[in-house]
Amino acid sequence: MLNSKVFKTLLIVIFLLVNHQIISQDNQRYLALVLVNIDEKDDNLGVKEIEKAHQLGFNAVNIAVLWDYVKVYRANSPNPWIQVDNQMKKASELGMKIGLRIWIDGWCGDDPKNQWCSNFDANDVMTDGQGRYDLAQSGPGKRSMTSFAATSTLNRMKSFTTETIERYKKYQENGDILYVSLATTGEQELGYPFGNSHEGGLFDYSSPMKEAYKVWLRRRYCNDINILKKAWGKDYNNVKSFNEISPKYNFYFQYSFEGQDGKDWYNFRHFMLKRFSTEFIQTVKAVKVNRPFKIVNDYGSVFDDLSVRRGTMAFKDLGEGTDGTKINNGLSYNHRFAMDLLRSNLPNKWIMNEAELKDLIPSQTETAVYESSSFQQIDQSFTHGAKLVAVFPNVKGKNLMEILENSPKYVEVIKNKWLKNKASLQIIPKAKLTFKLSDFLFEGGCITGSGGCSVMPVWQGLTAENGGQPIEVILDEDFIKEIPSVCENSGINAEYEGQLQKADCQGGYGWIVNKSDISKAVKYEILLDGKVIKTSFADSLNPDSQRYSGNSNHGFSFKFSQISEGNHHVKIKIPESSYLIGNAKLNFTCSNSGKQTEVIPITFCTECEELNVYPNPTNQLISLGFNLLDFKPVLIEIFDNLGRMVYYSDTYGVAGDNDLEIDVQKFVAGTYFINVKIDQKYYQRKFLKF
């Protein structure tokens, strides 16, 4: 017979196993009515609509709690929370699950010349690269948000979140709240603002953000401006301190993240958004409840062109510590791809979507429902693994109740097909593809969420091959992977300078010096295709290093044994350091002919009209003019008449006319050759600097 301790232990194990099975088998799907709550005057706003939605078959409601309505507009009323109180109470009485959205931006008024932004400190309000507020339209008035770097923003979010969660935690104890989320934009979403169609811009360039960026850079680069200058390149040669640094900005948003200075700016924006989201998660979890809250990141999208500005593309890392992710995709977006992307990168977490109901279905037939774009979004989302789809009724000229009264067949079809469906939410994908965040970012995402990105046709091809079944779409968030601290690298503070002047299938040569001790030979590594093949010292005479007396402590040369056929790259670096000498990475292509190894020449188009170089001759600037059908990488190299590379840029061109300027003021007078690679085609031009 079992003793009492063993018996109690067995009961506990059985209890845990049973409850784990119950949780793991929670396959209930939800159709939620969205209440944005942007009318602060009606105490009973949404109550009748919740009743009607329940009558139709909705089993959830998304309720927004607005900070400024509670703390600014209705602050002096007997109960500033009464709208939300009534909505929460009614939803609970009817047994509907609640998605609680805590919204902390503020109204700025309609007059752009008289912005008061819910009593915000003007210095704290987010601005774009041209100093403009967001001015996102969301109901009456225009809304804006204060910087994630401002202490006032963090304090406002934490205090209002705590107050909201404490007020409604009884509903969590009763099992009524499905999840909570945080909204920071005028569209009730999480992320940076993206402006509107007329005043869209990249955010945030406010004073608090700029100051926080300088602090982050000091930590990143060991408080040594010389290390930053080496990493960021010659455009920063004249910078004397971190106080002179500003975040990178370009009218074409993705260009703001080009180069190491742009990558640092992207990573900092990502860091600030994630930090803010993490503070929200910790604030919610700090409230004592018997039943833990589920927390969901609620975005506009994570793969469209606006996601570049929102800062939400690296959603996998942003989702750390959450229980799921919800997106609010437009009706024209590819919803199956959206769910495949979320599901593949957020295993064992909830994925959700939001559909906009823009047209009534007057015929009320099942066929009419199936043909509607709103139903298609819901149907495709559930098919590919969604836990919940929210419906935002937005039919022009109709109020919410009128829309609901015209939706019985619409909801009935969804309820019968999906809400009664208790099949597993787990999806077994039929194929797999992987793509990189860096590529996706510089493509500008999928334009309007449906096309214009390289991953979409690959996904479409795989789904077609597999009968439209779900596909695993893995996002490699390479652009935000942890950057090793440069402070930990030995020798990183030394003032190195050098050039890899030539590399081909036979070998190469160059020079390198330590400017703090030019009499000392510098140790270097040669990496061929990523593998170290030689470690030696720059200890030969190289006349091209005359700036440092051309002595025998500067030059280096190397030879290769026979190299396999194909593309190769060579790189020269300082051992146990992140320092690469100038032009340190060169690419070349080799072919084998018996024992002979030779370079396959590249054919340059010297007279093609597709590329214009002007003015020629020039004394200050040289411009490259060309036209592209799509966003593409552009490689630019300039050589002097001795074949020495004097300029290098790995950039991008946009769809349409491009005019890239290069500053040649510091070039010595003479003839130069400019090589340009655009979409696998090579161009060469000659120009004169006088």
Side-chain angles (χ1 to χ4, degrees):
M1 190 170 180
L2 295 174
N3 62 43
S4 59
K5 288 186 177 179
V6 175
F7 183 70
K8 288 180 180 178
T9 302
L10 184 59
L11 286 177
I12 292 172
V13 171
I14 294 172
F15 174 81
L16 292 174
L17 287 172
V18 170
N19 278 275
H20 173 75
Q21 187 176 18
I22 291 172
I23 293 171
S24 64
Q25 291 181 351
D26 178 15
N27 296 318
Q28 178 63 59
R29 294 161 175 82
Y30 293 96
L31 183 70
L33 174 68
V34 175
L35 297 178
V36 295
N37 290 342
I38 54 177
D39 178 2
E40 82 278 9
K41 300 180 178 64
D42 183 358
D43 290 352
N44 292 302
L45 180 74
V47 173
K48 292 182 178 179
E49 287 79 1
I50 291 174
E51 290 178 332
K52 183 64 178 178
H54 177 261
Q55 177 188 339
L56 292 174
F58 282 85
N59 57 357
V61 58
N62 194 323
I63 298 174
V65 190
L66 284 65
W67 166 82
D68 58 343
Y69 284 7
V70 172
K71 294 298 181 180
V72 180
Y73 305 125
R74 304 186 66 130
N76 297 321
S77 64
N79 178 11
W81 301 80
I82 191 167
Q83 276 186 349
V84 180
D85 285 352
N86 291 339
Q87 293 171 2
M88 297 286 288
K89 182 173 182 291
K90 179 56 65 176
S92 176
E93 289 173 350
L94 296 173
M96 300 177 75
K97 295 294 184 181
I98 299 166
L100 189 60
R101 178 184 283 164
I102 300 175
W103 196 14
I104 60 164
D105 74 340
W107 185 71
C108 287
D110 293 306
D111 183 359
K113 296 181 180 179
N114 185 26
Q115 305 281 323
W116 62 281
C117 293
S118 300
N119 298 328
F120 292 157
D121 184 334
N123 186 64
D124 290 348
V125 177
M126 284 192 186
T127 58
D128 70 2
Q130 298 183 45
R132 301 172 299 189
Y133 291 165
D134 177 30
L135 303 182
Q137 187 73 38
S138 186
K142 295 179 179 179
R143 309 188 65 84
S144 196
M145 178 64 183
T146 50
S147 175
F148 295 140
T151 302
S152 62
T153 311
L154 191 61
N155 291 341
R156 180 173 80 251
M157 182 274 289
K158 294 175 72 172
S159 63
F160 188 62
T161 296
T162 299
E163 191 173 357
T164 302
I165 296 300
E166 287 283 1
R167 187 177 188 88
Y168 299 122
K169 70 178 182 181
K170 62 182 179 181
Y171 295 105
Q172 175 66 14
E173 301 283 12
N174 293 336
D176 297 323
I177 297 179
L178 188 64
Y179 67 88
V180 295
S181 64
L182 174 67
T184 61
T185 74
E187 292 74 27
Q188 292 198 9
E189 298 160 356
L190 175 63
Y192 290 92
F194 63 88
N196 57 49
S197 58
H198 302 294
E199 296 182 329
L202 185 68
F203 290 79
D204 169 27
Y205 291 83
S206 65
S207 294
M209 195 71 166
K210 290 179 179 179
E211 292 306 311
Y213 186 44
K214 293 172 186 176
V215 172
W216 185 84
L217 287 174
R218 286 180 183 274
R219 189 181 306 120
R220 164 87 174 90
Y221 291 103
C222 322
N223 203 27
D224 188 334
I225 193 64
N226 290 319
I227 302 177
L228 178 143
K229 288 162 68 174
K230 289 173 185 174
W232 285 18
K234 67 178 185 179
D235 289 345
Y236 296 87
N237 284 346
N238 296 325
V239 173
K240 295 182 175 61
S241 76
F242 286 92
N243 292 331
E244 299 177 24
I245 298 293
S246 294
K248 193 170 184 177
Y249 174 75
N250 193 295
F251 179 80
Y252 299 103
F253 311 114
Q254 59 265 44
Y255 281 17
S256 301
F257 309 126
E258 182 184 31
Q260 186 59 49
D261 52 345
K263 185 173 183 178
D264 281 340
W265 175 228
Y266 185 94
N267 274 270
F268 176 70
R269 288 176 86 245
H270 176 84
F271 167 77
M272 295 302 291
L273 177 57
K274 184 178 180 180
R275 187 191 74 155
F276 199 74
S277 174
T278 301
E279 290 282 355
F280 171 73
I281 294 169
Q282 294 174 347
T283 302
V284 172
K285 291 184 175 180
V287 176
K288 294 182 179 180
V289 287
N290 294 327
R291 181 194 299 261
F293 283 94
K294 295 282 188 182
I295 301 170
V296 167
N297 281 349
D298 195 345
Y299 305 121
S301 183
V302 295
F303 65 96
D304 65 358
D305 48 331
L306 297 180
S307 300
V308 178
R309 286 179 266 171
R310 289 182 177 119
T312 57
M313 279 186 163
F315 65 90
K316 182 163 50 175
D317 187 67
L318 290 172
E320 186 178 2
T322 67
D323 299 285
T325 292
K326 175 176 172 288
I327 56 177
N328 310 325
N329 277 346
L331 290 172
S332 63
Y333 282 37
N334 193 315
H335 316 298
R336 296 188 297 138
F337 173 80
M339 295 296 99
D340 280 357
L341 179 63
L342 291 180
R343 186 194 65 252
S344 303
N345 293 280
L346 302 169
N348 303 316
K349 293 187 178 185
W350 290 345
I351 61 171
M352 306 176 179
N353 207 340
E354 182 168 307
E356 186 175 10
L357 182 58
K358 298 194 71 170
D359 298 296
L360 299 179
I361 309 172
S363 62
Q364 292 296 321
T365 65
E366 189 168 313
T367 300
V369 171
Y370 270 91
E371 289 176 350
S372 69
S373 56
S374 177
F375 174 81
Q376 285 297 315
Q377 179 172 357
I378 295 170
D379 190 55
Q380 292 172 20
S381 297
F382 280 132
T383 298
H384 286 249
K387 174 73 172 178
L388 171 147
V389 180
V391 177
F392 173 45
N394 186 28
V395 180
K396 188 174 182 179
K398 301 291 182 180
N399 61 40
L400 179 55
M401 184 59 79
E402 288 176 309
I403 299 171
L404 290 173
E405 288 173 346
N406 280 273
S407 304
K409 179 60 71 173
Y410 173 82
V411 179
E412 178 188 350
V413 173
I414 299 169
K415 179 177 66 176
N416 290 336
K417 183 172 183 180
W418 290 112
L419 305 189
K420 293 180 179 180
N421 184 347
K422 297 302 186 290
S424 175
L425 287 167
Q426 298 298 314
I427 298 291
I428 301 176
K430 302 300 181 181
K432 178 180 178 179
L433 67 90
T434 301
F435 67 104
K436 292 183 178 181
L437 172 63
S438 55
D439 295 336
F440 202 43
L441 173 67
F442 288 112
E443 287 177 346
C446 292
I447 307 302
T448 68
S450 56
C453 59
S454 58
V455 68
M456 186 66 74
V458 179
W459 174 86
Q460 289 170 330
L462 284 175
T463 55
E465 292 173 9
N466 291 277
Q469 294 300 303
I471 301 297
E472 188 173 12
V473 184
I474 301 298
L475 174 64
D476 177 5
E477 294 182 340
D478 62 324
F479 211 64
I480 60 149
K481 286 181 178 176
E482 189 68 28
I483 305 171
S485 173
V486 295
C487 310
E488 298 172 0
N489 295 321
S490 60
I492 190 62
N493 290 312
E495 291 287 330
Y496 298 113
E497 185 172 334
Q499 284 286 323
L500 172 57
Q501 295 166 277
K502 180 182 179 181
D504 60 23
C505 303
Q506 284 73 46
Y509 61 86
W511 60 271
I512 185 169
V513 296
N514 181 337
K515 291 189 289 184
S516 62
D517 187 358
I518 64 173
S519 65
K520 183 178 180 181
V522 178
K523 189 177 182 180
Y524 67 96
E525 289 178 340
I526 303 173
L527 290 85
L528 179 64
D529 300 330
K531 294 182 179 180
V532 177
I533 63 168
K534 180 181 178 181
T535 300
S536 188
F537 287 85
D539 55 5
S540 62
L541 181 66
N542 189 323
D544 287 320
S545 58
Q546 291 177 356
R547 180 177 175 186
Y548 298 100
S549 304
N551 65 37
S552 60
N553 294 318
H554 299 162
F556 64 86
S557 62
F558 54 92
K559 292 183 178 181
F560 293 136
S561 57
Q562 185 171 340
I563 298 179
S564 62
E565 182 178 5
N567 298 320
H568 300 278
H569 62 265
V570 64
K571 183 165 63 175
I572 308 296
K573 70 182 291 290
I574 308 301
E576 299 180 13
S577 151
S578 62
Y579 185 79
L580 297 175
I581 70 170
N583 198 32
K585 185 176 180 180
L586 290 179
N587 299 303
F588 50 91
T589 303
C590 302
S591 66
N592 292 335
S593 177
K595 295 183 179 179
Q596 177 106 18
T597 304
E598 61 184 12
V599 178
I600 298 177
I602 295 173
T603 302
F604 287 89
C605 186
T606 57
E607 298 180 359
C608 299
E609 296 182 356
E610 299 101 87
L611 176 69
N612 293 317
V613 177
Y614 61 95
N616 188 10
T618 184
N619 188 36
Q620 294 184 337
L621 297 174
I622 194 79
S623 295
L624 308 182
F626 53 93
N627 184 281
L628 296 177
L629 296 177
D630 204 351
F631 185 85
K632 293 186 181 298
V634 177
L635 179 68
I636 305 169
E637 298 172 329
I638 300 179
F639 297 84
D640 63 15
N641 60 356
L642 296 178
R644 295 174 297 194
M645 182 181 289
V646 295
Y647 178 87
Y648 175 88
S649 176
D650 190 2
T651 183
Y652 293 84
V654 297
D657 291 327
N658 291 261
D659 192 7
L660 302 182
E661 290 186 339
I662 301 171
D663 187 353
V664 298
Q665 291 186 76
K666 295 182 180 180
F667 290 14
V668 297
T671 301
Y672 291 84
F673 295 86
I674 183 165
N675 294 343
V676 182
K677 177 186 176 185
I678 304 175
D679 196 25
Q680 305 305 315
K681 189 169 183 178
Y682 294 82
Y683 303 84
Q684 187 176 78
R685 294 288 187 275
K686 183 169 66 175
F687 70 93
L688 179 67
K689 165 67 168 53
F690 61 89

